[in-house]
Amino acid sequence: MASVPILVGFTVVGAILAWKGGDMLVQASDRLGAYYGLPAIVQGAIIAAVGSSFPELSSIVIATLRYQSFDIGVGAVVGSAVYNILIIPAVSALVGEGQRLASNRDLVYKEAQFYLLSIAVLVLTFSLAVIYRPAADTAGLDGFVTRPLACIPLGLYGLYLFMQYHDTLEHRAGLTAVVDGVNPKREWLALGGSLAVILVGAELLVRAAVGLGDAFGTSPFLWGLTVVAAGTSLPDTFVSVGAARQGNAPMSLANVFGSNVFALLVALPVGILVAGGAVIAFEEVVPMMSFLTGASVVFFAVLRTEMALTRGEAYVLLGTYALFVAWLVAESLGVTGVLG
């Protein structure tokens, strides 16, 4: 087993590679989105979101296939989702024009509500696994998530794509200008190269999470929530903050919602599909999904007021994330034992 300093080095290098690869991917995705005439919300919710969420997808696949630790992948997705919904909008609002992040009804009544529906469907999928496919030889509430069950959230993501597709058709109908100066072949090649960089970064992050869990005798799920989640959230942070600085608030917020929807409805199910099924520790997942739901409700509420996220509301989100970090510190020190 590698020493702790080496594992910390893996974490730093992995995070840098995930950030750099995500940045390359998002730039290529943005150019392709502009070339194909996608609206700002669709660019943020699909193109940029899928691109910046590829580190989470890679982490889940690597953790499941290479290390047989699906818990790390679950922790990475949930921890990243909490970070995305609390930290990224708050920072984007503070650096945006007038220290506020403007919203609109499409974001509040379509993107945000579909995101909350995504959480509910994922919890339902895990619940069905515990009820109808309880894992053998386990003392807790563990369930085996089969491939057919994993198709439930994937089916909901298909509906999400269907909605975005029709929004794109309506947007294209009003276009009068054509984007020039974009070489689609070059951008697709750049996108493929960025995926390779992200895969290397995700491998290092997952290896660090496994090693740190063994070194400190703690749950892999906890290290997925912290080490892997923080590293894989960097691309989302740069995408949303960059869009906010450029005055593109809809894309900034749409990236947050789209990234979480993709991670919950696609990244986790894909990990299950490639593994042929996975055991889910329900007693660990429920507290985290509960916190994610509560954080999402707080974000939804502050976003709806005046259809904007103000400076004061940004600090509310940061305070909520501070509570999350305090809980994780208590877990790592053994003060609480909710996550095992």
Side-chain angles (χ1 to χ4, degrees):
M1 183 182 67
S3 64
V4 172
I6 292 177
L7 294 172
V8 172
F10 284 167
T11 302
V12 174
V13 175
I16 292 173
L17 289 175
W19 160 67
K20 185 58 180 177
D23 184 53
M24 292 167 55
L25 191 150
V26 169
Q27 287 184 27
S29 299
D30 285 348
R31 294 189 186 103
L32 289 170
Y35 178 80
Y36 292 115
L38 302 181
I41 289 181
V42 175
Q43 285 190 44
I46 300 295
I47 303 297
V50 172
S52 59
S53 294
F54 190 76
E56 285 95 330
L57 176 60
S58 303
S59 298
I60 291 174
V61 173
I62 291 172
T64 304
L65 290 182
R66 183 170 170 81
Y67 297 98
Q68 291 76 51
S69 184
F70 184 66
D71 287 349
I72 291 179
V74 176
V77 167
V78 177
S80 179
V82 173
Y83 179 95
N84 290 351
I85 209 71
L86 294 177
I87 293 295
I88 295 179
V91 174
S92 298
L94 293 176
V95 303
E97 296 180 352
Q99 291 195 321
R100 59 188 282 124
L101 202 61
S103 180
N104 57 49
R105 293 189 178 275
D106 277 345
L107 285 167
V108 172
Y109 292 110
K110 188 185 74 173
E111 300 296 335
Q113 292 189 17
F114 199 96
Y115 161 63
L116 292 175
L117 177 62
S118 302
I119 298 176
V121 168
L122 188 63
V123 173
L124 173 63
T125 301
F126 291 157
S127 301
L128 291 173
V130 172
I131 296 171
Y132 295 106
R133 294 298 301 271
D137 302 324
T138 58
L141 288 174
D142 296 348
F144 185 75
V145 185
T146 62
R147 282 173 169 165
L149 283 176
C151 290
I152 295 175
L154 284 173
L156 183 61
Y157 193 76
L159 174 62
Y160 185 67
L161 292 178
F162 178 78
M163 293 166 56
Q164 302 291 2
Y165 170 73
H166 280 277
D167 285 349
T168 301
L169 292 181
E170 294 174 3
H171 176 76
R172 282 181 175 176
L175 285 179
T176 57
V178 178
V179 177
D180 295 322
V182 177
N183 185 332
K185 291 183 179 180
R186 184 178 61 190
E187 299 305 332
W188 281 112
L189 287 174
L191 190 146
S194 68
L195 297 182
V197 175
I198 290 172
L199 283 172
V200 176
E203 159 66 21
L204 292 175
L205 286 170
V206 173
R207 182 182 299 183
V210 172
L212 290 170
D214 292 339
F216 292 99
T218 51
S219 168
F221 183 72
L222 180 61
W223 291 100
L225 282 168
T226 52
V227 173
V228 183
T232 56
S233 291
L234 285 176
D236 293 305
T237 305
F238 284 96
V239 171
S240 289
V241 171
R245 282 180 170 175
Q246 295 170 9
N248 194 347
M251 181 176 176
S252 178
L253 288 170
N255 177 66
V256 170
F257 291 126
S259 294
N260 280 9
V261 169
F262 179 84
L264 296 173
L265 298 184
V266 177
L268 279 176
V270 166
I272 295 168
L273 291 176
V274 298
V279 175
I280 188 75
F282 204 58
E283 66 274 12
E284 291 183 351
V285 171
V286 167
M288 292 309 308
M289 295 300 290
S290 299
F291 190 96
L292 176 60
T293 302
S296 302
V297 169
V298 171
F299 177 58
F300 183 83
V302 299
L303 190 63
R304 177 60 184 86
T305 57
E306 302 179 7
M307 286 294 177
L309 184 63
T310 63
R311 180 179 181 181
E313 292 167 343
Y315 286 122
V316 170
L317 298 182
L318 293 175
T320 305
Y321 191 77
L323 293 176
F324 177 68
V325 173
W327 177 27
L328 294 185
V329 170
E331 288 285 336
S332 64
L333 296 177
V335 178
T336 59
V338 178
L339 302 180

